[in-house]
Amino acid sequence: MNLSLYNTMSRTVEAFEPLERRHVRMYCCGPTVYNFAHIGNLKTYVFEDILRRTLEAAGYRVTHVMNVTDVGHLTDDGDEGEDKMVKSSKEKGLDVHEIARMYTDAFFHDTDALNILRPHVACRATEHIEDMIALIKRLEAKGHTYVAGGNVYFSIDTFPDYGKLAKLNLEELKSGARIDVDENKRNPKDFALWFTKSKFENQVMVWDSPWGVGYPGWHIECSAMSMKYLGESFDIHCGGIDHIPVHHTNEIAQSEAATGKPWVKYWVHGEFLINETGKISKSKGEFLTLSVLQEKGFDPMDFRFFCLGGHYRSQLVFSWESMDAARNGRRNLVRQVRALKEQAAASSVLCAEAQSYVDEFSGHLGNDLNAPRGLATLWSLLKDNSIKPGDKLGALYRMDGILGLGLDSPEQEKEEETAIPHQILALVEERLKAKREKNYHRADELRAIVEKAGYKLTDTPGTTQVSKTL
RNA sequence: GGUGCCGUACCCAAGUGGUAAGGGACAGGUUUGCAAAACCUCCAUGCACCGGUUCGAAUCCGGUCGGCACCUCCA
């Protein structure tokens, strides 16, 4: 399987060649655990999961590392603003560590529900403060830092390639166009590595350091932890597209300034999920989480299926109508798979025709993760009556190894029996009797009554199933 | 003000020079007393608009209009 990926650094699709022959080292920016993940966040993790599964399907051993940001960071990249962890902790009346634990659990609960493979290493920022301090010391020794107003800053003017990822034009950037510039900074684009004198109110999350008691800047954790677990140069770094201009730009500066080596080979960024009003965010509009979707009757897999319908580098438009479409489409798929399962067991060796569908599918996924095309191939396979059920199922399972829709997992019969009132059951009985007597006029009357009461009747040979209308 | 992305049917969405994938909805049909399910069929001579290049353009170039994102913590 050939694999090519769009590299933000070169702005082109490049053939993928890892630094080590059969091993891929991948770092994904993880959640900041001061709140639930919203479905926009989750879209990015779905894309990263597709990337990982594609790499594995291509035969690579993957080491997947993700950070969990449990250090409080300010609502502002400068020295102002409120600490988000503290803010959340106050609102919930829990201490910051409890907040972090609660939202970390919630995060993995959601990603598990979406069948997203867990990273091999999920590292907490609070457990790597020493690594961050060591990295800052390294930068300090090389003259990339300065102390001002009690904080340690990275001086971007000491790093000639600053902004290469985002293609920032430093002359023309209007820093401070929308916010006030931190007056401690020599260059408005400088960023803090360590804070000691912020007016933080968080007395819990502070650590001792050579520069005084305080806490790390928000970019340093990713550099420190990724290099700790993946080495000073590794293959893939991914995250949301919003990270390009600031977070990843700063990570590159501090990482490469410290080591003097190229840091990351491929930068892969996922586009945003948006709705009619713009991006889905934590501070704007309705806060859409996976739980909200589930409360509205959607299965987490419906959301995964929905995400797979668009390309990861395109904005995807969320609407309830689209979710309905995704649910219908996925139910249709599951139904067909169930029918195949009843006919045959999945073949372990595929016939040539089935294999050619799998190859076509792999070609699409290998071509910068074109999941929508892959899905189209899956539907054509399903429709191809020249392929025997066992081969069809075997091919489907291979495709699903990447799609992760859980097609091979045993059917969980979700339709749990909600208690049907005995009045309704009595009406159903009466209707059955009318049916047997071929009194269809009466039977239809009874159907109307029962349906009006909020129950759906489905006739099967000899009996009738009752279920509550959603 | 700067930068980037985008505009494809009723909805979502692929498609980067060779004559519009796929899903959903809708409609028609087969079948079942009815209903549901299932199955079959149908669904863009056209890809925001206007010019240009080309044998050929949704795809390339120029312009216009519209949307989104980033330059602020953000997936």
Side-chain angles (χ1 to χ4, degrees):
Chain A
M1 176 173 172
N2 291 317
L3 179 59
S4 54
L5 289 173
Y6 181 86
N7 188 347
T8 305
M9 190 60 88
S10 67
R11 307 287 160 118
T12 55
V13 176
E14 300 177 16
F16 180 73
E17 293 281 348
L19 296 167
E20 288 175 38
R21 187 184 287 274
R22 299 310 300 167
H23 179 206
V24 177
R25 290 166 286 163
M26 166 165 117
Y27 184 87
C28 299
C29 276
T32 305
V33 285
Y34 63 93
N35 203 338
F36 293 109
H38 57 66
I39 56 175
N41 301 124
L42 296 172
K43 173 189 189 278
T44 297
Y45 297 107
V46 169
F47 129 65
E48 289 165 351
D49 189 54
I50 296 297
L51 172 57
R52 170 167 164 194
R53 288 168 180 268
T54 301
L55 289 164
E56 289 176 346
Y60 295 109
R61 180 168 73 85
V62 177
T63 303
H64 174 196
V65 177
M66 186 181 78
N67 61 298
V68 173
T69 302
D70 55 354
V71 175
H73 286 301
L74 303 179
T75 50
D76 182 299
D77 194 35
D79 199 9
E80 304 290 320
E82 208 173 352
D83 183 300
K84 289 184 286 193
M85 293 290 294
V86 174
K87 184 164 179 265
S88 182
S89 139
K90 272 194 204 160
E91 285 167 4
K92 294 280 188 309
L94 295 170
D95 85 52
V96 286
H97 295 103
E98 287 172 325
I99 288 288
R101 196 174 312 118
M102 177 177 129
Y103 288 115
T104 303
D105 290 348
F107 175 78
F108 284 114
H109 185 264
D110 283 349
T111 56
D112 285 350
L114 287 167
N115 207 16
I116 291 170
L117 298 170
R118 292 237 185 167
H120 301 100
V121 178
C123 40
R124 293 178 162 76
T126 51
E127 292 166 7
H128 297 78
I129 302 296
E130 285 309 314
D131 300 294
M132 299 183 215
I133 290 173
L135 187 59
I136 300 170
K137 281 163 88 170
R138 233 172 133 179
L139 288 167
E140 189 173 48
K142 288 193 169 186
H144 291 291
T145 67
Y146 61 92
V147 176
N151 299 331
V152 182
Y153 292 93
F154 182 91
S155 169
I156 66 160
D157 295 304
T158 66
F159 185 72
D161 276 345
Y162 185 82
K164 64 183 172 183
L165 179 69
K167 300 206 186 305
L168 298 180
N169 183 335
L170 296 177
E171 319 287 87
E172 287 175 19
L173 266 178
K174 284 183 139 188
S175 267
R178 290 159 69 191
I179 52 147
D180 295 332
V181 176
D182 177 352
E183 55 189 27
N184 290 324
K185 293 180 180 179
R186 291 180 189 167
N187 183 317
K189 299 296 288 179
D190 287 349
F191 55 93
L193 297 166
W194 190 266
F195 290 102
T196 65
K197 290 194 71 176
S198 272
K199 48 181 183 183
F200 56 81
E201 318 150 61
N202 174 3
Q203 297 302 319
V204 185
M205 286 195 158
V206 289
W207 295 266
D208 199 11
S209 86
W211 312 279
V213 173
Y215 58 95
W218 85 282
H219 310 296
I220 197 73
E221 64 173 88
C222 287
S223 292
M225 297 195 291
S226 64
M227 290 198 271
K228 173 170 185 169
Y229 294 105
L230 296 172
E232 293 186 351
S233 296
F234 55 93
D235 302 296
I236 299 176
H237 192 130
C238 37
I241 196 167
D242 56 310
H243 279 147
I244 298 169
V246 180
H247 187 48
H248 289 165
T249 287
N250 291 345
E251 284 182 43
I252 291 169
Q254 66 198 5
S255 300
E256 299 194 347
T259 67
K261 296 179 202 169
W263 184 42
V264 168
K265 193 168 177 192
Y266 300 93
W267 287 92
V268 188
H269 294 97
E271 251 290 0
F272 273 148
L273 179 68
I274 60 168
N275 60 25
E276 312 76 49
T277 61
K279 73 170 174 180
I280 310 268
S281 83
K282 293 190 182 184
S283 51
K284 207 164 109 185
E286 192 183 2
F287 187 61
L288 290 169
T289 60
L290 194 61
S291 309
V292 171
L293 263 48
Q294 288 174 286
E295 281 159 22
K296 301 233 182 191
F298 294 100
D299 186 290
M301 280 302 128
D302 293 333
F303 181 70
R304 185 173 177 112
F305 186 85
F306 167 70
C307 290
L308 262 32
H311 191 264
Y312 79 95
R313 279 196 291 120
S314 297
Q315 288 180 345
L316 183 60
V317 182
F318 176 86
S319 68
W320 293 111
E321 196 184 353
S322 294
M323 279 305 297
D324 282 335
R327 173 167 56 192
N328 288 338
R330 194 185 69 87
R331 280 183 178 170
N332 199 285
L333 172 61
V334 169
R335 199 181 298 128
Q336 295 193 46
V337 171
R338 189 191 303 142
L340 286 169
K341 282 178 189 169
E342 284 164 7
Q343 293 173 57
S347 312
S348 51
V349 178
L350 301 181
C351 66
E353 291 73 23
Q355 184 59 45
S356 78
Y357 279 104
V358 175
D359 293 343
E360 182 184 315
F361 176 89
S362 301
H364 288 135
L365 271 294
N367 179 19
D368 196 30
L369 312 179
N370 197 331
R373 272 283 171 185
L375 227 32
T377 299
L378 181 146
W379 288 109
S380 354
L381 164 71
L382 229 33
K383 279 187 273 196
D384 189 336
N385 291 324
S386 74
I387 296 179
K388 293 197 192 85
D391 285 340
K392 209 179 254 193
L393 205 51
L396 278 169
Y397 285 172
R398 286 179 206 203
M399 295 176 183
D400 196 45
I402 291 179
L403 299 176
L405 293 168
L407 298 180
D408 60 347
S409 65
E411 213 64 45
Q412 66 277 59
E413 285 302 328
K414 282 272 181 65
E415 326 243 340
E416 74 273 10
E417 297 290 311
T418 41
I420 309 291
H422 63 272
Q423 298 97 317
I424 298 292
L425 290 175
L427 290 171
V428 172
E429 261 323 298
E430 191 184 337
R431 176 170 170 278
L432 259 178
K433 203 171 143 211
K435 266 183 66 178
R436 285 194 202 100
E437 290 160 3
K438 298 219 188 304
N439 184 354
Y440 294 124
H441 179 72
R442 179 63 184 152
D444 288 349
E445 270 180 10
L446 287 161
R447 170 187 284 283
I449 294 167
V450 171
E451 285 180 348
K452 209 170 172 193
Y455 294 87
K456 198 175 90 176
L457 296 183
T458 308
D459 288 342
T460 56
T463 182
T464 294
Q465 310 225 320
V466 198
S467 58
K468 195 147 173 58
T469 313
L470 287 175

